[in-house]
Amino acid sequence: MKAVIRAEYGGPELLSVQEVERPSPGTDEVLVRVRASSVNMADVDYLRGRPALARLATGVSEPKAKVMGTDVAGEIEEVGTGVQRLAVGDRVFGDLTEVGSGAWAEHVAVPEAALTKLPGAISWEDAGCTPSAGIFALQGVRDKRPVQAGDRVLVNGASGNVGPFAVQLAKHYGAEVTATCRTEKMEMVRSLGADRVIDYTATDYRALGERWDVIVEIAGRGGLLGTVRLLYRGGGYILIGGTGWAYLQAGLLGVPVGLATGRKMGMLMWRVNDPTDMADLAELLADGAIKPYIDRTYSLKEAAEAVRYLESGAAKGKIAIA
């Protein structure tokens, strides 16, 4: 089978499509015929071996997993002994972050527990672009301080992988949504249903004198301390993505600052492939409540080009690998 391989940490120039042996499912594993995947910043970080501390898990001097790709959508072709929930022919999707990646290939063998069944109405590309970013957004808008009907919600960083899902989910739950992005991506964010879009290159939302019930922080520029005054009492701040300084503030100060001010604040405690959340994502996709904004679609042989495009910062929403 064909697979996108890299032998060492580095840039997209290290990626190549090679013929490798098709895997066989082990105990409690299934073999998936991959139909679609996507490119996440997590894939780029894994390619480049950053942050350095993560190499303790992924391989210190060289990557343990040579085949790239975390998001996967496809159909099951074989099942191993011990598999009980899934069967040959099932349509599935999932995030392979915790099981060694491998989605940028024609087949991948993964534990049954990493996959969720898909309704037939969902396209392969939509399914392949949803597992990682969709889970971040879903858990972000409803876990720490769940978004409710009538809330004023700010999504800071609405045009990347996670932001479009967060905007759509907040609207689905009945919120009034303000979203921030760069100038050239404003129309795209409006098309997602945002009630107001702020060009962060021209306007600092922190200087508007406004308050929100929930702030979903994906760009990570403001930091927790600069955000408390922007929240109504009883509101919430959830950090999904940002700088190291933003994570330090959220990790060390989220609980004490939240308790002192009557707000729920901190970073997202990500639960990859949470069964309930993944089932909810599949239902939301099938119902049309959410849909990934797919900027471009690349083939396996164009994976290096897809990574370069994501790193350029020009991408809007998701980049699919078909």
Side-chain angles (χ1 to χ4, degrees), residues 121-171:
I122 303 171
S123 74
W124 288 125
E125 286 190 8
D126 283 355
C129 287
T130 297
S132 177
I135 279 290
F136 273 113
L138 184 67
Q139 293 175 356
V141 302
R142 72 182 190 181
D143 280 14
K144 190 164 292 294
R145 195 297 201 171
V147 171
Q148 304 167 11
D151 278 347
R152 299 190 74 230
V153 174
L154 172 71
V155 178
N156 186 36
S159 61
N161 280 206
V162 178
F165 286 109
V167 169
Q168 293 176 79
L169 286 164
K171 288 298 297 180

Side-chain angles (χ1 to χ4, degrees), residues 10 44 203 239:
V44 178
T203 303
L239 177 69

Side-chain angles (χ1 to χ4, degrees), residues 38-43 70-72 93-97 127-139 161-162 165 240 268 270-273 278 281 318:
S38 73
V39 186
N40 297 293
M41 280 309 301
D43 295 305
T70 50
D71 280 342
V72 66
F93 75 150
D95 182 339
L96 307 186
T97 299
C129 287
T130 297
S132 177
I135 279 290
F136 273 113
L138 184 67
Q139 293 175 356
N161 280 206
V162 178
F165 286 109
I240 296 179
L268 176 67
W270 176 47
R271 302 183 308 281
V272 61
N273 286 325
M278 289 297 292
L281 275 182
K318 294 292 297 184

Side-chain angles (χ1 to χ4, degrees), residues 15-311:
L15 297 175
S16 64
V17 176
Q18 299 180 23
E19 286 287 342
V20 299
E21 184 177 354
R22 192 178 81 170
S24 297
T27 304
D28 299 324
E29 287 188 337
V30 297
L31 180 70
V32 178
R33 170 69 170 97
V34 182
R35 296 299 185 183
S37 182
S38 73
V39 186
N40 297 293
M41 280 309 301
D43 295 305
V44 178
D45 289 340
Y46 189 24
L47 173 64
R48 293 191 174 275
R50 63 191 187 198
L53 188 62
R55 295 192 184 192
L56 295 176
T58 63
V60 177
S61 60
E62 63 181 41
K64 295 177 182 177
K66 300 301 190 287
V67 182
M68 292 289 297
T70 50
D71 280 342
V72 66
E75 54 202 345
I76 295 176
E77 288 194 350
E78 295 180 33
V79 298
T81 58
V83 171
Q84 299 179 352
R85 183 173 53 87
L86 300 175
V88 172
D90 283 348
R91 290 164 49 93
V92 293
F93 75 150
D95 182 339
L96 307 186
T97 299
E98 292 190 331
V99 296
S101 72
W104 295 358
E106 293 180 322
H107 290 84
V108 63
V110 297
E112 175 186 35
L115 300 170
T116 298
K117 288 185 181 180
L118 276 172
I122 303 171
S123 74
W124 288 125
E125 286 190 8
D126 283 355
C129 287
T130 297
S132 177
I135 279 290
F136 273 113
L138 184 67
Q139 293 175 356
V141 302
R142 72 182 190 181
D143 280 14
K144 190 164 292 294
R145 195 297 201 171
V147 171
Q148 304 167 11
D151 278 347
R152 299 190 74 230
V153 174
L154 172 71
V155 178
N156 186 36
S159 61
N161 280 206
V162 178
F165 286 109
V167 169
Q168 293 176 79
L169 286 164
K171 288 298 297 180
H172 175 69
Y173 292 127
E176 174 191 318
V177 178
T178 299
T180 73
C181 64
R182 293 192 333 215
T183 313
E184 63 272 21
K185 301 183 181 183
M186 293 178 69
E187 286 304 316
M188 167 261 192
V189 174
R190 287 192 185 97
S191 74
L192 301 170
D195 298 283
R196 181 172 55 152
V197 181
I198 296 174
D199 179 356
Y200 72 75
T201 67
T203 303
D204 185 348
Y205 70 88
R206 295 168 295 179
L208 296 176
E210 299 185 33
R211 288 190 178 187
W212 288 271
D213 295 287
V214 177
I215 294 178
V216 181
E217 180 64 87
I218 302 168
R221 299 180 186 88
L224 180 145
L225 292 177
T227 305
V228 177
R229 62 184 175 81
L230 306 180
L231 288 168
Y232 291 115
R233 190 172 182 83
Y237 165 92
I238 183 75
L239 177 69
I240 296 179
T243 64
W245 175 235
Y247 277 109
L248 186 64
Q249 287 187 53
L252 295 179
L253 302 176
V255 172
V257 170
L259 290 173
T261 63
R263 294 158 176 83
K264 295 183 178 180
M265 310 188 74
M267 70 178 68
L268 176 67
M269 302 307 292
W270 176 47
R271 302 183 308 281
V272 61
N273 286 325
D274 178 275
T276 299
D277 290 342
M278 289 297 292
D280 287 349
L281 275 182
E283 183 177 346
L284 288 161
L285 281 170
D287 291 345
I290 61 171
K291 181 178 176 62
Y293 187 99
I294 300 176
D295 187 335
R296 296 184 184 181
T297 299
Y298 293 86
S299 65
L300 280 181
K301 67 180 181 180
E302 298 170 320
E305 183 180 347
V307 171
R308 291 188 187 98
Y309 184 53
L310 181 61
E311 288 192 299

